[in-house]
Amino acid sequence: MIYLDNAATSYPKPDRVYDEMLLCMKEYCANPGRSGHELAIKTGRAVYETREIVSRFFNIENPMRVVFTKNATEALNLAINGVLKEGEHVITTSMEHNSVLRPLKTLERNNIIELTIVWGNYFGEIDVADIERSIKKNTKMIICSLSSNVNGIIMPVKEIGKITRERGILFLVDASQGAGSIKLDVQEINADLFAVPGHKDLLGPQGVGALYVNENVEITPIMQGGTGSRSESFYQPEIFPDMLESGTLNAPGIVGLGFGIKFIESFGVDNIRIYKHMLIKRLYEGIENLNGIKLYSLKDMDKNSGIISFNFIGVDSTKVSFMLDRIYGIASRSGLHCAPLAHETIGTKATGTVRLSVGCFNTIEEIDTTIEALREISQGL
Amino acid sequence: MIYLDNAATSYPKPDRVYDEMLLCMKEYCANPGRSGHELAIKTGRAVYETREIVSRFFNIENPMRVVFTKNATEALNLAINGVLKEGEHVITTSMEHNSVLRPLKTLERNNIIELTIVWGNYFGEIDVADIERSIKKNTKMIICSLSSNVNGIIMPVKEIGKITRERGILFLVDASQGAGSIKLDVQEINADLFAVPGHKDLLGPQGVGALYVNENVEITPIMQGGTGSRSESFYQPEIFPDMLESGTLNAPGIVGLGFGIKFIESFGVDNIRIYKHMLIKRLYEGIENLNGIKLYSLKDMDKNSGIISFNFIGVDSTKVSFMLDRIYGIASRSGLHCAPLAHETIGTKATGTVRLSVGCFNTIEEIDTTIEALREISQGL
């Protein structure tokens, strides 16, 4: 099996991630932040250590502003539904995932917010001037992904962050695609809110994500429950991160995320980026001239987080993915990738695309085998 | 270490739970329900198998009505915030956890719902007639736990379920304490909504819970996002379970939950209940006559899910828990256990209690050592 579906979930993980999760579960996994006994304290400490690792990795000053969620979708829902109020205006882009679009469109349908979607060009490139022109008096938040999960295009988050800081608008970055293989500093990009999944390029397991909330953000929880703190109160304590972390945390998952990030740190984010770029470039050059192929990702590797989206003209994307899987044992993802407007932007709403996404454990040999497979498929069509 | 904090998180888990989670993560953990390749399909199948296992275990007819959440708190928030509408009346009990009380009190504070809390007696026993008397024309939902996390008292869910069915009121059962060691049939207790955590008596890992939603319940999601289905739509698909499961699921956690339940099935729920009762009875009888002790749990083992709450009169509960941990290596939990009204009910709001909660992996020797430790502590006070 050649796994080229890393944009959905990275696979495999570093061995240490498995080992430390198992160690946590077997040796000390009590309830973090609840009881005062040795195991609970050890679990609580392990959770806090991951807060520190996440903070160090993204240059977040205060680890207590890192909130653990079940995935990036919960983090984004919290950032959107916990912050936006009636009558506020939001700007986002056509390249966003349904985890951003669906909460926003639901708020718009319920007459809570006003929504402007700025469209990208054929490759999904956003003109920052379009975003700036869309700002109104009541613009509360601009939301942009770090890179598209459909074609890998890297978005101008640094430029948008400058505008939001100047204009006093909140900036929510959906870093689901790219966090872990693109160097990121929340202070440098001026992110007020910053959502990541654990299970993609951060090399952690499924079942954990995180939201960073800057001190200037007023946010209310979307869930209430036990926090192990101020238990006598009928309402959520207003302290971070408890306010936004009701119920028992996924301690082994959080530990796994921490060791995923530690692996990246030991290897170097830039080295991972360079390695992934080398793989993607090789893949791109190996398939760009195939018979009938149309590529929707950019060749410029500084603008691509590690994804190639393509179609063979006139052939259903699902069919190609199916052939890759069944004949060649190559895992890809076809269809709309939960991002309908991104496909509309790049002109593939009706067909979807075949998406190949590399991870740091893919090899040159796997890329070459994939190129050969696609060459054979293109010849047979 | 003697672990008597199973009501917070059960520990350890059956070996198979660790093994199968690791196997899932190492061998096939792609993104369930997203891509069409072999690994994704295998992961999706494993998730579906757990839906079937959960359904079989609680006698749920349609596995598609089992929604996976990150914990019981999310399940309860979904059941409360996703169902209740403005002007509706809710009845609950004073024995509930903050995962029920805080969402309800927040809705009440925001003038969305009207709330009646029915008080238990000194042991937290609820008179079903009090619940029936509290029903109004606009009563939409009655919420009751299966058993209290503070003192283990088993609640009259079967009797309440009869009333709700007769009166056309929705019944939400918080089965966080007891599911896995008390035989439960959602149809027999007439539960319309039924929430469980994976990490307590169901012997699964942290990071997974479930909500059962009966076909008669109108529910809207509290989060929106990618579902891998109807991706072209800006809104959540109205199909189950996708509508309520946005974002990537915790596949290894769900697999672990499935194998936790399978372990219980192979052992027999009733056998686990009997074994836990034997341990609790032994503990109860071993400590009930200690100098200065006051017990807040019932001796009648048919009314106790496996918890003994107590204090030494005049001694802070935290101090006793601390001594148990540091001197004797016994893990307990002191304080309010995220259930302030339950402590008010049993008269321990100011002091909290020491809580000892047994699990199916505790031994008679551990119970005897604990009795001896408490005897020593009581003599030294």
Side-chain angles (χ1 to χ4, degrees), chain B residues 131-150:
Chain B
I131 289 184
E132 197 155 18
R133 267 192 294 274
S134 305
I135 294 173
K136 301 182 187 188
K137 273 190 182 166
N138 61 337
T139 302
K140 175 65 177 275
M141 188 185 280
I142 295 176
I143 308 177
C144 186
S145 50
L146 174 64
S147 94
S148 159
N149 74 309
V150 168

Side-chain angles (χ1 to χ4, degrees), chain A residues 17-38:
Chain A
V17 170
Y18 304 130
D19 296 346
E20 294 286 343
M21 285 180 71
L22 199 64
L23 188 77
C24 169
M25 287 195 290
K26 282 192 170 175
E27 300 293 325
Y28 65 90
C29 193
N31 209 314
R34 297 306 191 270
S35 311
H37 58 76
E38 193 192 329

Side-chain angles (χ1 to χ4, degrees), chain A residues 1 3 5 8-11 18 21-22 25-32 34-39 41 68-71 73-74 77 81 97-99 101-103 105-106 109 199 205-207 222-237 246-252 325-326 331-333 336 338 340-341 349, chain B residues 1 3 5 8-11 18 21-22 25-32 34-39 41 68-71 73-74 77 81 97-99 101-103 105-106 109 199 205-207 222-237 246-252 325-326 331-333 336 338 340-341 349:
Chain A
M1 163 65 72
Y3 188 79
D5 195 19
T9 288
S10 64
Y11 176 83
Y18 304 130
M21 285 180 71
L22 199 64
M25 287 195 290
K26 282 192 170 175
E27 300 293 325
Y28 65 90
C29 193
N31 209 314
R34 297 306 191 270
S35 311
H37 58 76
E38 193 192 329
L39 295 196
I41 289 170
F68 289 120
T69 59
K70 66 173 177 176
N71 51 27
T73 300
E74 184 191 349
N77 272 264
N81 290 306
H97 188 271
N98 271 339
S99 53
L101 290 178
R102 282 180 170 171
K105 292 300 277 186
T106 304
R109 185 171 64 177
H199 66 102
Q206 294 173 345
I222 58 171
M223 290 187 246
Q224 296 89 29
T227 53
S229 55
R230 304 200 186 151
S231 293
E232 70 291 352
S233 169
F234 286 138
Y235 307 104
Q236 290 296 98
S246 292
T248 299
L249 286 172
N250 178 4
D325 180 47
R326 299 304 150 91
S332 65
R333 183 171 171 199
L336 293 182
C338 296
L341 287 188
K349 197 182 172 185
Chain B
M1 164 65 68
Y3 188 80
D5 195 19
T9 288
S10 64
Y11 174 83
Y18 304 130
M21 284 181 71
L22 198 64
M25 287 195 290
K26 280 192 171 175
E27 299 293 323
Y28 65 89
C29 193
N31 208 315
R34 297 305 191 270
S35 310
H37 57 77
E38 194 192 328
L39 294 197
I41 288 170
F68 289 120
T69 59
K70 66 172 177 176
N71 51 26
T73 300
E74 184 192 347
N77 272 265
N81 290 307
H97 188 271
N98 271 339
S99 53
L101 290 178
R102 282 181 170 171
K105 291 300 277 187
T106 304
R109 184 172 63 177
H199 66 103
Q206 295 173 344
I222 58 171
M223 290 187 246
Q224 297 88 28
T227 52
S229 55
R230 302 199 188 152
S231 293
E232 71 291 353
S233 170
F234 287 137
Y235 307 104
Q236 289 296 97
S246 291
T248 299
L249 286 171
N250 178 5
D325 179 48
R326 298 304 150 91
S332 65
R333 183 173 171 198
L336 293 182
C338 297
L341 288 187
K349 198 182 173 186

Side-chain angles (χ1 to χ4, degrees), chain B residues 211-372:
Chain B
L211 178 69
Y212 158 67
V213 184
N214 195 352
E215 317 264 350
N216 64 331
V217 179
E218 274 183 51
I219 189 166
T220 51
I222 58 171
M223 290 187 246
Q224 297 88 28
T227 52
S229 55
R230 302 199 188 152
S231 293
E232 71 291 353
S233 170
F234 287 137
Y235 307 104
Q236 289 296 97
E238 292 190 358
I239 46 174
F240 267 74
D242 304 28
M243 181 175 78
L244 305 176
E245 283 181 353
S246 291
T248 299
L249 286 171
N250 178 5
I254 291 168
V255 165
L257 170 60
F259 281 90
I261 296 175
K262 279 172 112 163
F263 175 89
I264 297 165
E265 287 179 327
S266 69
F267 205 86
V269 189
D270 280 335
N271 292 328
I272 287 176
R273 185 180 53 80
I274 289 164
Y275 182 69
K276 278 181 67 178
H277 279 185
M278 183 270 292
L279 296 176
I280 275 288
K281 190 160 173 283
R282 191 176 183 97
L283 182 56
Y284 199 105
E285 290 173 350
I287 66 174
E288 64 181 329
N289 296 317
L290 292 182
N291 196 25
I293 205 165
K294 186 162 172 53
L295 290 107
Y296 305 98
S297 298
L298 281 172
K299 196 174 179 175
D300 178 350
M301 289 302 128
D302 287 336
K303 292 186 177 172
N304 188 327
S305 63
I307 290 173
I308 294 182
S309 246
F310 69 93
N311 276 321
F312 289 113
I313 299 302
V315 185
D316 192 76
S317 65
T318 314
K319 184 180 168 185
V320 178
S321 263
F322 185 82
M323 289 171 77
L324 280 171
D325 179 48
R326 298 304 150 91
I327 305 173
Y328 302 98
I330 297 168
S332 65
R333 183 173 171 198
S334 62
L336 293 182
H337 314 97
C338 297
L341 288 187
H343 278 280
E344 203 168 326
T345 306
I346 66 174
T348 52
K349 198 182 173 186
T351 58
T353 56
V354 185
R355 182 183 72 182
L356 301 171
S357 48
V358 302
C360 63
F361 293 115
N362 286 121
T363 63
I364 290 176
E365 293 68 31
E366 288 178 333
I367 297 300
D368 290 347
T369 305
T370 304
I371 293 166
E372 210 35 59

